[in-house]
Amino acid sequence: MNHRINLLASAIPLLLLLLLTLLPQPTTAVDTARSIQIMNESGRRTEVHWVHPQTGEMVLQSTPDILHGASFALNSYVGHTFEVRELPAKKTGFCAGEDETCRVDHFTVNSNQDQVIMIKEGVEVEHTDSKTIASKSASTLLDDCKSTAKSHLSSDPESAINILEDLTKCVQKGIAVEIERANEEIAFQATVRKDMAALVENYTCADESLNTTEAKRTEYWESGGEFGRRMKVSVMIDRPASRIHTIEDFLTDDECRAVEEAAAPLLHDATVADGSGGSKLSESRKAQQAGIKVHWEKEEEGDLIARLSRRVYDYVNHVLPFNIRENGQEDLMSIQYFGRGPDDETPDRYMPHCDGDCTGLDFKPGNRMATIVMYCDVPEVGGATRFRNSNIHIRPKKYAATFFSYIDPVSMKMDNQFTEHSGCPVVEGEKKIVTQWVRLGVDDRNPWNSFNTLGIKYSDAANQ
C-alpha cells in the first residue's frame, strides 16, 4: 500500500506542475466578432452562404468560388450559421452527390478562438477551434505521464490504476480549461499587437531617424563558386515558420547593372493578386517591375544574372532543408520605385502584404515559401522594409539583401503573419531592388506559372 501511495504521490506533482505552467493571465475581451479560416479539401468547387436567422435567406459570402485547395477568410460573429454548398463541375455541369445533386453542409460560429472550417471529401464540414485543439493538447500531454505511471503501478494494478484514472480525468479536464484560456489570451494579444502595428505603420515609415532593428544574433555565411566570399548575416527573427535575415554585400554592382539592363525594355506597372487567381493593378502597390529570365545554360560561361540567381538558391538551401533547385521557379523580378518629393500624395510604395500564405495553415505544394529582396540602388529618403507584426524595421543598404521564409520545415505549417511586410514610401531618390520568390514543389513539369495566384494549378481549377 505504501508503495502505491508513494507512486501516486510522485505522479500528482508532475501533473500539477504541468497544469501550473499553462496558467495565463485572464482576458476580459467580450467581443463576439470572430475570424474564420475556411479550407476547401473536398475536391470540388464550393461556395459559402450566410443563413439569415429569421428568414432563412441565403446571402453569398465567397466571391469568387472557393476552389479545391484554396482557403477563404471570413469575418463573422458568434452564433452566425453558414451553409457550404457544392457547385457543379465546369465540364459536366453536374455535382457529385447522389443523383448528381449538389451537396451541402452547415457550420455555426462558436465563441472559441482560432476557428478553422475544413471542407472535406463529400462536402462535409469539419469544425476545429481553440477548445478542441486544447483538449487534444491536454490528452497528448498526459499520455506519456499516464503510461509511465501505469507501468510503475503494474505490480498491483486494480485499485491503483482506478485511482490514477480518476486523477487523470480530473487533471485532464483542468488542463484543457487552462489551455483554452491561454489560447484566448494569445489570440487577444495577437489582435492587440496587429492593431498597434497598423497604427504605427505610417509613423515609423516617416521617421528617417529610425535605424535598422538590432539583430538577435550575427553569423557568417560563405557563398560558393569562383566568386564566393564571406558575408555577414544578421538574424532578426528565428521562429520555426518565420525567419528574417539581412545579408551584407550579397550582390555586386555589375550584377545589379546586368539585371537593370535586362529589365529596361520590359518594365511595366506592378500588379497584385486579385483574389480570384489572377492579378490586377492596385493603389496598394505603386512601382515598375519586369521579370528577368535566367539563362542557366550560360552559368558556366560566367553569366552575371545566373551567378546571382545561383547564390540566391544556395542561401535558401543554407537556411532551409529542402534542397531547392532552379527548375520551375519564378523569374527574378526587377522592381523600381521612384521618389517625387515629400508633397507627393501617392508615392511609390507597397502596402502591408504577405508574399505567400500567412494564415498559419498547411503548406500547399507549388506555393511560395521564401523571399530574397536584394538592394541595388537605395533612396535618399524613404524606402525602408517593415515587418510590422514582428516590429522589424530594415533600412535599405546598397548591395545588401533581406531574406525571409514563411514555412515551418518540420510541421509544414505556414507563418501566421509575422512575415507580413511593406515597402515604405520612396520620397527622394530611387529604390531599385531584385526579388526572388522561392517556391517548394515546382519543377520542369510543374513550373511556377502553372499555378494561379491562389496557389492552385490552372489545370485543376479548370476541371472543378
Side-chain angles (χ1 to χ4, degrees):
M1 176 64 71
N2 289 335
H3 176 63
R4 288 193 302 248
I5 291 174
N6 289 337
L7 288 170
L8 284 171
S10 65
I12 290 172
L14 178 62
L15 294 170
L16 292 179
L17 178 62
L18 180 61
L19 176 61
L20 288 172
T21 60
L22 299 169
L23 288 173
Q25 295 295 322
T27 177
T28 58
V30 294
D31 191 1
T32 61
R34 294 292 182 272
S35 295
I36 316 296
Q37 283 291 333
I38 301 174
M39 285 289 298
N40 184 6
E41 297 182 349
S42 67
R44 310 289 298 183
R45 285 190 308 139
T46 60
E47 60 185 14
V48 174
H49 296 256
W50 173 59
V51 183
H52 193 288
Q54 279 77 43
T55 67
E57 177 187 2
M58 300 289 182
V59 181
L60 180 64
Q61 303 295 304
S62 52
T63 305
D65 314 329
I66 309 175
L67 299 175
H68 169 70
S71 59
F72 175 71
L74 178 68
N75 294 318
S76 187
Y77 296 89
V78 173
H80 282 200
T81 296
F82 295 87
E83 179 178 280
V84 176
R85 184 182 302 170
E86 178 186 11
L87 292 174
K90 291 181 180 178
K91 284 190 174 181
T92 66
F94 298 107
C95 289
E98 188 176 351
D99 298 326
E100 299 178 337
T101 57
C102 294
R103 295 162 292 186
V104 301
D105 204 352
H106 299 81
F107 67 90
T108 299
V109 179
N110 60 40
S111 60
N112 300 326
Q113 302 290 340
D114 303 326
Q115 296 182 54
V116 178
I117 305 299
M118 306 294 290
I119 308 173
K120 310 296 282 187
E121 186 177 357
V123 196
E124 295 183 353
V125 167
E126 179 182 293
H127 191 166
T128 64
D129 54 53
S130 57
K131 185 163 288 186
T132 59
I133 294 170
S135 295
K136 290 180 181 178
S137 299
S139 297
T140 301
L141 289 168
L142 287 176
D143 276 346
D144 289 342
C145 296
K146 184 177 177 181
S147 176
T148 302
K150 279 186 175 181
S151 67
H152 285 295
L153 295 170
S154 59
S155 58
D156 188 10
E158 187 172 347
S159 60
I161 289 181
N162 287 340
I163 295 171
L164 185 59
E165 289 283 359
D166 291 340
L167 174 65
T168 301
K169 288 178 183 178
C170 177
V171 178
Q172 183 176 19
K173 181 178 179 181
I175 289 177
V177 170
E178 296 308 325
I179 292 179
E180 164 62 10
R181 289 179 184 171
N183 284 343
E184 287 180 353
E185 177 64 15
I186 290 169
F188 172 69
Q189 291 182 8
T191 300
V192 172
R193 171 174 52 82
K194 292 170 187 174
D195 288 346
M196 290 176 64
L199 285 172
V200 302
E201 172 80 11
N202 288 331
Y203 295 100
T204 51
C205 276
D207 187 357
E208 278 299 304
S209 66
L210 190 61
N211 291 318
T212 295
T213 304
E214 184 176 352
K216 182 177 180 181
R217 70 175 186 272
T218 299
E219 55 194 34
Y220 290 87
W221 176 65
E222 190 85 31
S223 64
E226 181 181 354
F227 297 93
R229 58 188 181 277
R230 194 166 184 252
M231 303 177 192
K232 181 180 178 181
V233 177
S234 297
V235 178
M236 319 298 282
I237 293 289
D238 193 20
R239 298 170 59 87
S242 321
R243 293 173 169 86
I244 304 173
H245 302 173
T246 61
I247 315 151
E248 292 188 9
D249 298 317
F250 188 82
L251 73 173
T252 64
D253 185 72
D254 56 353
E255 289 166 349
C256 283
R257 300 289 78 82
V259 170
E260 187 174 349
E261 288 175 12
L266 304 173
L267 285 170
H268 60 274
D269 289 339
T271 59
V272 299
D274 64 4
S276 62
S279 57
K280 64 178 182 179
L281 296 173
S282 171
E283 286 299 314
S284 69
R285 186 185 188 195
K286 291 197 65 182
Q288 295 280 301
Q289 69 178 27
I292 308 300
K293 181 176 176 60
V294 180
H295 293 283
W296 291 107
E297 71 279 4
K298 297 182 179 180
E299 183 178 10
E300 292 187 1
E301 302 172 14
D303 182 82
L304 293 171
I305 294 177
R307 186 177 80 185
L308 172 61
S309 194
R310 177 63 62 204
R311 192 177 307 127
V312 166
Y313 293 115
D314 285 349
Y315 190 78
V316 171
N317 289 326
H318 165 69
V319 179
L320 298 171
F322 295 128
N323 192 27
I324 296 296
R325 300 293 299 169
E326 69 271 15
N327 307 76
Q329 294 287 344
E330 296 186 50
D331 295 339
L332 277 173
M333 187 66 71
S334 173
I335 307 173
Q336 302 181 13
Y337 301 83
F338 301 94
R340 293 178 290 273
D343 297 327
D344 185 7
E345 294 184 357
T346 57
D348 284 9
R349 69 182 303 176
Y350 201 171
M351 298 295 284
H353 64 284
C354 296
D355 284 355
D357 189 352
C358 59
T359 58
L361 299 176
D362 290 337
F363 171 74
K364 292 181 286 188
N367 280 241
R368 294 173 178 174
M369 55 87 189
T371 301
I372 289 189
V373 178
M374 298 159 274
Y375 306 97
C376 282
D377 288 314
V378 299
E380 288 82 30
V381 180
T385 300
R386 276 202 58 77
F387 296 85
R388 62 180 189 176
N389 293 326
S390 297
N391 195 28
I392 299 296
H393 185 86
I394 298 173
R395 296 190 71 166
K397 187 175 181 180
K398 196 163 186 172
Y399 307 139
T402 297
F403 163 88
F404 51 102
S405 60
Y406 25 98
I407 185 173
D408 183 337
V410 176
S411 69
M412 297 303 287
K413 298 284 187 183
M414 299 301 286
D415 168 48
N416 195 6
Q417 298 189 17
F418 286 98
T419 58
E420 180 191 69
H421 59 286
S422 60
C424 291
V426 173
V427 181
E428 300 283 357
E430 298 179 355
K431 175 183 174 182
K432 295 181 180 180
I433 61 175
V434 185
T435 298
Q436 179 69 66
W437 294 292
V438 184
R439 294 176 180 250
L440 178 61
V442 295
D443 52 33
D444 290 331
R445 297 183 61 183
N446 301 282
W448 72 273
N449 54 6
S450 65
F451 296 84
N452 64 23
T453 54
L454 293 173
I456 300 170
K457 292 199 73 173
Y458 284 108
S459 57
D460 292 339
N463 291 327
Q464 293 184 34

